[in-house]
Amino acid sequence: MRLLRTIGLCALLLSGAGACENLTLPNNNQPDQTRVIANAHELESLVAGSYLTLFYGYTWQTDLVLSTTAFQHSSMACCFGMVQYSRLPREPINNSASDPYASMHGEIWYNSYAAIKAAVDGLNATDPANPDAFQITDETTGADNTPRARAWARFVQGLGHGLLALTYDQAFVYDQGTDPTEIVLAPYGDVMKEALAMLDSAAAIAAANDFTIPDAWFGNVGMTRAQFIKTVNGYQALLRAGVARTPTERAAVNWPAVIADVDASFQCAGTSCENLTIDADPSVWIHGTHFYIGFAITQGAWAQVSYFIHGMADQSGAFKAWFAKPDFFRTPFLIQTPDKRFPQGATATAQASNPGKYILYGGTRGHLRPDRGSWRWSLYRDYRLDGTPGNHGPSIMMSGRDLRLLKAEGLFRAGQLQAAADIINETRVAHGALNATNAAGLNSSCVPKLPNGSCGNLFEMLKWEKRMENYQYNFGAWFFDSRGWGDLFKGTPIHFPVPARELQVLGLPIYTFGGPGGYAKGASPGSSYAYPGE
């Protein structure tokens, strides 16, 4: 059976109206799960395709919406809810099955559970305690590939539950032996504990068995056993830290475990880092976030640099003046900064001919729909994804540099300030061309320069480097960090409710989060940067 997956290819017309056309792609890797598993080959195909289902969930709509909400990028395009959920002041999530963005609300939920179900079916069918268990034998070499399938199933199962715990306030835990008729919702913290244990199991199986993950299972590149274990540990680090909803919860993260996870994952040497990367293609392995951000090359309104965070590079005073204005009176300004990741020069002409390492001057292209807020407009865009627009070539799924800066946060929280500063300096000095900081938080370059005009302390410099060095590389990266750091704009939902369609099936009341009222503490009480209008 050939399964079809419909995705939205959205474009802003020059008139400023949003339009979406459908692009229907064949999903040749996802098996038909309605059939009874007839043999070991079909079982292996079921397990192998489970990750692709998960991949489609966390690299598409939700990722883009979280990015605009956390000011990682700014968009005039209303597709997926990018405008809806980044509005100022914030609005509550419209948790309705008929909401135009209901598919975005439920994307992680339904894709994760579809992947988890396939993974658990594979685990049940290969369980040594099952008298009818399958053994998956390589048709060419005769090798027993059952451990490989079980490790992959545990990985998908753990990552799926981890994504649910990151995104929703509560979810189901589904494992071997779970009776679907008795399953109950558990709070996100409990779901994350189970996710981390499942990932532990995946790493343990891999450590005890030598195998290679085939290219078709993971992004046309596959994985060695060592890469698989690094991948598992990297996700554990990201999940442990990212699950925090508040600064208090972020401070209480098991930071020694995060550091250990990072040390067992992808490493950096100087300015060079290992990354988890797929080889995207136009038919199966499409990284949706990278595809749409890459699409911004020709549609400037899709993805511009947001001044709310990037403006802290500015030394001219223009950011402070912009920040102090009411929302709909903010207009684009030149960022003048010693940070070489940004264009250099005091004029638009100079900056246009001197792009930064990551960001270039894009002019007024895409400055549409002032009714959606001229504060969304920017003269800049990040061009790191220009050569990899998500449907061909390398797309980074997990950044070694992001992990290393996560370790720096762990060291900072443990009081090892100079060790944290040393990691911060690896990119601050080499990529940003800024002064080296130290344990006391020296910031003579004054980047970042906070909205109140003060130079950021050591922790703000750490946050700056982590933001500047991660561009759409990890699902919800800026959002989950900003949530835990207390930097989300007031009224921003800190997580999604269980999708309305699911609640209706369960016979439970529909609820939501976000907006000025906060809806039972499910929203940011206000940013640490004290944005006007909060």
Side-chain angles (χ1 to χ4, degrees), residues 188 240-255 409 412-413 459-460 463 467 479-489 492 494 521 523-529:
Y188 62 84
R240 286 186 208 277
V243 73
R245 266 51 176 184
T246 64
T248 300
E249 289 188 15
R250 184 87 173 194
V253 163
N254 185 346
W255 288 104
E409 183 175 353
F412 175 87
R413 292 182 183 278
F459 190 55
E460 286 295 336
K463 289 159 60 176
R467 284 169 168 147
F479 180 88
F480 298 129
D481 282 343
S482 294
R483 177 174 70 182
W485 293 336
D487 293 342
L488 294 177
F489 193 93
T492 303
I494 58 173
K521 300 182 180 179
S524 167
S527 169
S528 62
Y529 299 123

Side-chain angles (χ1 to χ4, degrees), residues 235-269:
Y235 276 119
Q236 287 184 304
L238 296 170
L239 294 172
R240 286 186 208 277
V243 73
R245 266 51 176 184
T246 64
T248 300
E249 289 188 15
R250 184 87 173 194
V253 163
N254 185 346
W255 288 104
V258 171
I259 292 172
D261 288 334
V262 172
D263 287 343
S265 189
F266 300 104
Q267 299 301 302
C268 296

Side-chain angles (χ1 to χ4, degrees), residues 454-506:
S454 66
C455 302
N457 59 20
L458 183 62
F459 190 55
E460 286 295 336
M461 283 183 275
L462 189 158
K463 289 159 60 176
W464 179 257
E465 291 306 308
K466 199 165 190 299
R467 284 169 168 147
M468 292 303 105
E469 295 299 320
N470 187 336
Y471 188 59
Q472 314 289 354
Y473 296 146
N474 301 324
F475 167 66
W478 276 40
F479 180 88
F480 298 129
D481 282 343
S482 294
R483 177 174 70 182
W485 293 336
D487 293 342
L488 294 177
F489 193 93
K490 183 179 181 180
T492 303
I494 58 173
H495 41 216
F496 289 161
V498 174
R501 193 175 85 189
E502 193 75 11
L503 293 171
Q504 289 171 340
V505 171
L506 296 169

